[in-house]
């Protein structure tokens, strides 16, 4: 079996944990390596609606004889489990005749017997689950993605939804955006870290924590996903789709599809996650010894203290919509999981002039040029009393106040109108100034009247 034979006994056990998990066994875990009592791996299976324990002995040897099968049978009998149980011996080599005869005498696995899995069986299993027998690693075979669209809404619903808060634009006039989706590989490693650290004074530190570690799996080096992206991937209720079954439908739905390969094997992500969890759970402990002297000890879990329960690869859709409005082009980018979204970029909520953005601001669409603007860059067009942005507006000062116009034609039209206005109408083109002038005149008259003794 090529380099698989070169694995150590412990490495072979690690590999078999992944194999059994892929075969559908549940709660797959390794026994403590200090005293496994002939039980290397413990797991469970559900047969005809009934849960049953499976005790596994892994033998990385050329041949497995009868005593190994006898020892496992005893280990199964003494295993404390409330329910039916059976045994299994897995080896990279072969079983002797007496070993197979003894297994037959124990009865079928249904009767609590012992199943024998040899190197030939492993090769067949490897082909079934995508195990690379050359290097003993599990390759990622993933055809599942989080749903890129809402189960009942259309593809472009998120774009139209974000326009609801933009003033001065009718959603019915918005053109169809160009929308593509890129499926990005993610891996969730669920593991339990359980360790106890003792000295001559007793236990100084212990931990027992379960972690869902979500990794970006598209590059050579994994990265831990955080925040909303992590929440999307770990949401157990998020709908998933089969890429193989729905590829044609996705091609019809989106203007472009893109797939990124997983950068490493599943086994590599598992090993990376174990190392990361060991680092994360490393603690420096201070304690007092029997001699009343204070000590400091760094407690780092061993590899065997981290038990990986599951490795779940899935593609996370990143949806990119592009929309042209007038002279401007806008992008709306988000990660999707059915009806849930994590927005990455929303240019419909950004001012094109100062690039301010956020959910709390007020934004107005300029129908004259197609820009989206914050309050500071939105003005009222003098002739038509409609919003216009400071970027495209033509300006001129009337009564010391700047007026904004869609174009030169509107400005010339207002000039002609202004010339025909009465003096008091012209003054009202700058209300604060006009009011101030009136107040100043009244004050002057008041002073004159007071000095003349009229008041």
């Amino acid at each position: 079996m090529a380099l698989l034979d070169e694995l150590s006994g412990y490495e072979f056990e690690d590999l078999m944990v992944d194999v059994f998990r892929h075969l559908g066994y549940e709660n797959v875990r390794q026994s403590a390596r200090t005293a496994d009592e002939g039980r290397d791996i413990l797991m469970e299976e559900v047969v005809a609606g009934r849960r049953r324990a499976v005790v596994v002995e892994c033998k990385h040897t050329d041949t497995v004889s009868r005593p190994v099968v006898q020892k496992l049978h005893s280990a199964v009998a003494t295993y404390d489990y409330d329910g039916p149980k059976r045994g299994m011996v897995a080896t990279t080599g072969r079983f002797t005749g007496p070993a197979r005869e003894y297994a037959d005498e124990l009865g079928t696995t249904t009767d609590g017997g012992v199943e024998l899995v040899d190197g030939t069986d492993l090769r067949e299993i490897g082909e079934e689950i995508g195990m690379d027998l050359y290097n003993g690693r599990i390759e990622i075979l993933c055809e599942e993605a989080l749903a890129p669209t809402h189960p009942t809404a259309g593809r472009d619903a998120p774009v139209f939804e974000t326009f609801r808060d933009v003033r001065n634009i009718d959603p019915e006039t918005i053109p169809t955006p160009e929308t593509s989706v890129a499926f990005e590989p993610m891996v969730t490693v669920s593991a339990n870290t359980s360790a106890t650290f003792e000295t001559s004074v007793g236990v100084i530190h212990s931990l027992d924590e379960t972690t869902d570690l979500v990794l970006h799996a598209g590059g050579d080096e994994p990265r831990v996903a955080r925040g909303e992206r992590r929440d999307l991937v770990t949401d157990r209720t998020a709908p998933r789709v089969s890429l193989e079954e729905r590829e044609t439908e996705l091609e019809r739905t989106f203007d472009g599809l893109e797939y990124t390969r997983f950068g490493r094997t599943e086994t590599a992500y598992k090993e990376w996650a174990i190392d990361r969890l060991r680092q994360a759970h490393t603690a420096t402990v201070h304690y007092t010894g029997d001699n009343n002297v204070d000590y400091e000890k760094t407690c780092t879990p061993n590899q065997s203290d981290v038990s990986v329960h599951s490795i779940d690869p899935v593609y996370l859709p990143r949806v990119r919509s592009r929309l042209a409005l007038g002279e401007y082009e806008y992008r709306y980018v988000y990660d999707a999981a059915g009806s849930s979204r994590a927005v990455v970029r929303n240019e419909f909520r950004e001012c094109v002039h100062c690039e301010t953005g956020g959910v709390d601001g007020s934004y107005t669409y300029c129908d004259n040029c197609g820009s989206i603007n914050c309050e500071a860059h939105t003005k009222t067009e003098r002739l038509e009393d409609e919003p216009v942005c400071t970027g495209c507006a033509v300006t001129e000062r009337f009564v010391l106040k700047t007026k904004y116009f869609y174009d030169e034609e509107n400005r010339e039209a207002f000039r002609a109108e202004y010339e025909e206005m009465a003096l008091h109408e012209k003054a009202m083109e700058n209300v604060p100034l006009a009011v101030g002038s009136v107040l100043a005149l009244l004050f002057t008259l008041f002073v004159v009247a007071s000095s003349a003794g009229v008041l």
Side-chain angles (χ1 to χ4, degrees):
M1 296 180 67
L3 293 184
L4 184 59
D5 288 334
E6 298 178 11
L7 296 175
S8 69
Y10 288 153
E11 289 172 335
F12 178 57
E13 289 179 24
D14 290 338
L15 175 64
M16 292 309 299
V17 167
D18 290 335
V19 170
F20 291 133
R21 180 168 43 76
H22 270 269
L23 288 174
Y25 292 97
E26 300 178 5
N27 198 21
V28 183
R29 62 207 184 276
Q30 288 173 271
S31 299
R33 291 174 176 172
T34 53
D36 60 30
E37 299 178 337
R39 299 186 285 264
D40 293 329
I41 297 174
L42 301 173
M43 57 191 186
E44 297 173 359
E45 62 185 355
V46 178
V47 179
R50 191 177 186 187
R51 187 170 293 274
R52 178 169 59 186
V54 183
V55 180
V56 184
E57 175 78 3
C58 296
K59 302 302 292 184
H60 195 275
T61 57
D62 291 335
T63 58
V64 176
S65 58
R66 175 179 174 136
V68 173
V69 182
Q70 290 176 316
K71 178 183 176 183
L72 176 66
H73 186 234
S74 298
V76 172
T78 58
Y79 178 44
D80 184 12
Y81 184 80
D82 185 18
K85 49 194 175 181
R86 70 178 181 91
M88 179 190 298
V89 179
T91 179
T92 55
R94 64 180 184 85
F95 294 97
T96 63
R100 292 189 178 278
E101 291 174 2
Y102 183 75
D104 290 340
E105 294 173 4
L106 294 176
T108 66
T109 55
T110 304
D111 301 325
V114 175
E115 179 182 0
L116 304 182
V117 179
D118 62 16
T120 300
D121 297 325
L122 285 180
R123 280 191 288 272
E124 294 176 356
I125 292 172
E127 294 177 359
E128 177 184 344
I129 67 173
M131 182 174 70
D132 184 348
L133 293 178
Y134 180 75
N135 59 26
R137 293 174 178 266
I138 302 295
E139 305 295 336
I140 290 182
L141 301 177
C142 181
E143 288 292 340
E144 198 171 47
L146 295 172
T149 57
H150 190 287
T152 58
R155 179 198 75 173
D156 300 320
V159 172
F160 291 97
E161 180 181 322
T162 195
F163 262 108
R164 293 175 185 169
D165 297 324
V166 179
R167 300 173 181 174
N168 195 46
I169 187 168
D170 185 351
E172 295 180 358
T173 66
I174 300 172
T176 300
E178 179 183 314
T179 302
S180 61
V181 60
F183 292 97
E184 301 186 6
M186 309 290 288
V187 172
T188 300
V189 182
S190 298
N192 175 260
T193 306
S194 180
T196 300
F197 301 89
E198 297 182 74
T199 66
S200 59
V201 299
V203 176
I204 62 170
H205 180 61
S206 63
L207 61 97
D208 185 6
E209 295 189 24
T210 298
T211 307
D212 283 340
L213 199 61
V214 181
L215 308 177
H216 294 276
D220 292 335
E221 185 65 25
R223 293 182 295 111
V224 177
R226 306 185 187 281
E228 292 181 309
R229 300 197 83 192
R230 179 189 183 281
D231 295 340
L232 289 178
V233 175
T234 57
D235 183 0
R236 305 293 188 220
T237 64
R240 297 191 176 194
V241 297
S242 169
L243 293 176
E244 185 176 14
E245 295 176 2
R246 295 189 57 182
E247 186 170 11
T248 302
E249 178 185 342
L250 291 170
E251 288 175 346
R252 288 196 303 263
T253 301
F254 293 94
D255 298 309
L257 298 178
E258 181 182 340
Y259 301 90
T260 302
R261 294 177 58 86
F262 284 83
R264 295 187 174 194
T265 65
E266 184 179 295
T267 306
Y269 290 117
K270 171 187 173 182
E271 293 171 349
W272 191 92
I274 290 175
D275 289 341
R276 183 61 177 260
L277 290 173
R278 291 180 65 206
Q279 294 174 16
H281 292 302
T282 295
T284 300
V285 178
H286 299 270
Y287 66 97
T288 302
D290 294 329
N291 54 1
N292 289 325
V293 175
D294 291 334
Y295 293 94
E296 179 180 285
K297 180 178 177 63
T298 299
C299 302
T300 301
N302 297 317
Q303 284 189 340
S304 59
D305 294 330
V306 183
S307 176
V308 175
H309 297 160
S310 65
I311 299 178
D312 179 28
V314 69
Y315 285 100
L316 175 65
R318 172 156 289 188
V319 182
R320 294 180 172 89
S321 292
R322 186 173 59 182
L323 181 64
L325 293 173
E327 302 171 11
Y328 294 88
E329 187 174 86
Y330 301 93
R331 292 176 299 163
Y332 185 54
V333 183
Y334 58 92
D335 297 319
S339 58
S340 300
R341 297 195 303 273
V343 178
V344 178
R345 184 69 185 269
N346 182 3
E347 293 182 352
F348 304 124
R349 300 286 292 168
E350 294 179 3
C351 177
V352 300
H353 302 295
C354 60
E355 296 186 352
T356 59
V359 296
D360 298 328
S362 175
Y363 297 89
T364 302
Y365 176 70
C366 176
D367 193 46
N368 192 49
C369 66
S371 62
I372 293 176
N373 311 274
C374 67
E375 291 182 349
H377 291 91
T378 300
K379 302 298 178 180
T380 300
E381 214 273 355
R382 173 59 186 85
L383 200 62
E384 302 187 26
D385 199 31
E386 294 289 341
V388 65
C389 74
T390 58
C392 72
V394 175
T395 64
E396 187 168 325
R397 292 177 71 81
F398 294 86
V399 199
L400 302 179
K401 183 175 178 62
T402 301
K403 302 293 181 181
Y404 296 85
F405 305 92
Y406 281 145
D407 49 30
E408 298 281 353
E409 183 178 347
N410 274 25
R411 182 174 64 178
E412 292 303 318
F414 180 73
R415 277 178 179 172
E417 183 180 312
Y418 183 78
E419 291 297 328
E420 299 296 327
M421 288 181 183
L423 186 60
H424 71 279
E425 292 177 327
K426 288 182 179 181
M428 291 308 296
E429 289 299 320
N430 190 341
V431 175
L433 181 61
V435 171
S437 299
V438 171
L439 292 176
L441 177 60
L442 292 174
F443 179 75
T444 301
L445 293 174
F446 175 80
V447 173
V448 172
S450 297
S451 61
V454 175
L455 298 178

